Structures are given as C-alpha cells and as structure tokens.
C-alpha cells in the first residue's frame, strides 16, 4: 500500500522539460527476500511514462536509491535479476555517484572514461571529453545528424554523431553499444 502526498514537485527530464510529480511512500516493499521500508517514489501522470516510439507504458520503476540500498544487483537476460543476501566483495572499483546519478568507469580502445549509467536508455550518450579524443575519427566515419533524446514526459532533438557498434569494457565484461555523441 502506498501513501500519496500531494507535492507538485518540478522534475527535469533528459530532454530539458519540466514534469510535475507528487510523492508516494510505500511503508513496506518486498523484492524476493529483500524487505524495504518507507520507500519514496515520484508519482507521474501516465502520459509522462508512455514512450510512443516503443508503444511502451511504464507502470512503475525503482530508482537508484532503492537499488543502492540492496547492496548488489545482478541483471540477467529475460528481465530477471538477482539480489544476493550477502553482497560480494570485489577489488574492482568502477562505480561512483554524482548526486544520485551512477557513474561507471569503462574502457574504449584502451582509454578509461567515466560514463553516466542510464539503464532505461536505448542508446548511450557520450559528451565532449570523448568527442575531443576521437574527433577526427568520429567526423570522418559518422555524419552529423539530428537525434531525438527522450526521457520521461517528452523528447527534444540534438545534433549528434551516432556510432552503430562501439565495444566498451565495463569491469571484466565487454558490451557493444549504440552511442550518440553530442558535444553541444
């Protein structure tokens, strides 16, 4: 059961738009054997959680504060996840926070970069530091185009170069990304 609080909070989305949200507090929330108490949620209008291009209505999601409180989460294919009772111990330190935004360290062509981790995005966005290092290659291989940046509640167009297949190492894993490079 969730208690709704009329708050009318302004929330900025990735497209630079302001959405209005209320707050919700779940006194108790269970995820497998994990039990969380007093979990705070933003409450948006359904239209703000609808992604027209994918015909996808998001009914709810947990944010990074909830994920961080669980200690460790492993995402698997087919929409499954594991939350161990006792978090593992790793020597690799490649994740930090900028306020509540997770920043992960990864490697592209042997160079280390900090990446903003957005698990809900269909494409990754890289900014000026990446562009400056690979400017000549990017300009030569990829045309400048208009790309839609979409977030909760809407989208906007930005000029960007799009790399269709970029292999980035994160921890001891390699992943292939579609990367939007914007320097504006």
């Amino acid at each position: 059961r969730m208690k709704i609080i009329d708050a009318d909070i302004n929330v900025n989305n990735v497209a630079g738009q302001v959405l209005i949200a209320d707050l919700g507090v779940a006194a108790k929330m269970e995820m497998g054997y994990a039990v969380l108490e007093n979990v705070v949620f933003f409450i948006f209008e359904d239209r703000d959680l609808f992604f027209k291009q994918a015909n996808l209505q998001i009914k709810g999601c947990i944010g990074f504060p909830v994920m961080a409180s669980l200690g460790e989460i492993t995402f698997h294919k087919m929409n499954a996840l594991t939350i161990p009772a006792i978090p593992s111990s790793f020597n690799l330190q490649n994740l930090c926070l900028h306020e509540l935004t997770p920043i992960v360290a990864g490697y592209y062509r042997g160079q280390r970069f900090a990446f903003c981790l957005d698990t809900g995005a269909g494409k990754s966005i890289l900014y000026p530091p990446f562009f400056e290092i690979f400017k000549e290659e990017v300009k030569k291989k990829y045309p400048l185009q208009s790309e839609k940046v979409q977030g909760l509640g809407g989208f906007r167009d930005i000029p960007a170069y799009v790399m269709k297949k970029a292999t980035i190492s994160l921890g001891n894993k390699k992943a292939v990304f579609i990367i939007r490079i914007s320097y504006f």
Side-chain angles (χ1 to χ4, degrees), residues 26-44:
K28 182 178 178 182
M29 187 172 92
E30 297 179 19
M31 296 175 66
Y33 293 110
V35 178
L36 304 170
E37 295 178 344
N38 300 315
V39 180
V40 179
F41 291 88
F42 283 124
I43 307 293
F44 293 101

Side-chain angles (χ1 to χ4, degrees), residues 19-182:
L19 306 175
I20 306 299
D22 288 326
L23 294 175
V25 180
K28 182 178 178 182
M29 187 172 92
E30 297 179 19
M31 296 175 66
Y33 293 110
V35 178
L36 304 170
E37 295 178 344
N38 300 315
V39 180
V40 179
F41 291 88
F42 283 124
I43 307 293
F44 293 101
E45 293 291 332
D46 285 345
R47 69 176 176 268
D48 293 333
L49 299 173
F50 181 72
F51 292 83
K52 185 177 179 180
Q53 290 82 354
N55 193 29
L56 173 65
Q57 179 69 54
I58 296 176
K59 295 179 181 171
C61 60
I62 59 171
F64 188 75
V66 170
M67 289 188 258
S69 74
L70 296 170
E72 179 181 332
I73 300 174
T74 302
F75 294 94
H76 305 279
K77 294 179 182 178
M78 305 305 293
N79 300 320
L81 61 90
T82 302
I83 304 166
I86 300 171
S88 305
S89 176
F90 293 102
N91 291 330
L92 181 64
Q93 296 181 4
N94 67 341
L95 178 69
C96 67
L97 296 176
H98 177 280
E99 295 176 352
L100 290 177
T101 301
I103 307 293
V104 64
Y107 288 85
Y108 178 76
R109 295 207 178 143
Q111 294 196 44
R112 189 171 197 227
F113 292 93
F115 299 90
C116 175
L117 182 62
D118 183 351
T119 59
K123 293 180 183 174
S124 297
I125 301 174
L126 298 179
Y127 294 102
F130 183 90
F131 179 72
E132 287 303 318
I133 292 170
F134 297 104
K135 184 188 300 188
E136 297 309 315
E137 174 188 345
V138 168
K139 284 184 167 185
K140 184 178 177 182
K141 286 185 173 181
Y142 310 101
L144 185 62
Q145 59 192 49
S146 180
E147 278 284 301
K148 283 191 185 329
V149 176
Q150 183 171 3
L152 297 178
F155 62 89
R156 70 180 169 124
D157 290 313
I158 63 168
Y161 299 96
V162 178
M163 297 172 71
K164 298 291 184 188
K165 292 181 181 178
T167 301
I168 296 176
S169 298
L170 301 167
N172 61 356
K173 305 280 185 187
K174 289 185 180 185
V176 178
F177 290 86
I178 298 173
I179 297 180
R180 181 187 299 128
I181 303 167
S182 179

